[in-house]
Amino acid sequence: MNEAQRWTVKCQDPADGSDEVIIDLPPDLLASLGVSIGDVLTVEVIAGAIVLTPKSSDSATP
């Protein structure tokens, strides 16, 4: 993916008191990132936008 893309998704409360959220990523977003369910993403906030980047498998710790 060479260009920035903007997506809008809903955050869901897991209702477990954790103050975390669940975000379902659409299949076409996953495809554009080249990832699938179970892959690890890094999450950053850059200039007010949430940026997801696939984490390379060679940098993962066993």
Side-chain angles (χ1 to χ4, degrees), residues 1-5 32:
M1 182 171 90
N2 295 330
E3 299 179 17
Q5 296 182 15
S32 73

Side-chain angles (χ1 to χ4, degrees), residues 4-61:
Q5 296 182 15
R6 186 172 299 264
W7 297 78
T8 302
V9 296
K10 289 186 179 183
C11 297
Q12 302 171 42
D13 181 356
D16 61 3
S18 66
D19 289 331
E20 295 181 0
V21 295
I22 297 170
I23 302 171
D24 287 324
L25 301 177
D28 42 344
L29 171 58
L30 295 174
S32 73
L33 288 171
V35 298
S36 59
I37 294 172
D39 288 347
V40 177
L41 304 175
T42 59
V43 181
E44 299 176 276
V45 177
I46 300 174
I50 298 172
V51 178
L52 303 176
T53 307
K55 189 170 183 177
S56 120
S57 61
D58 56 325
S59 66
T61 55

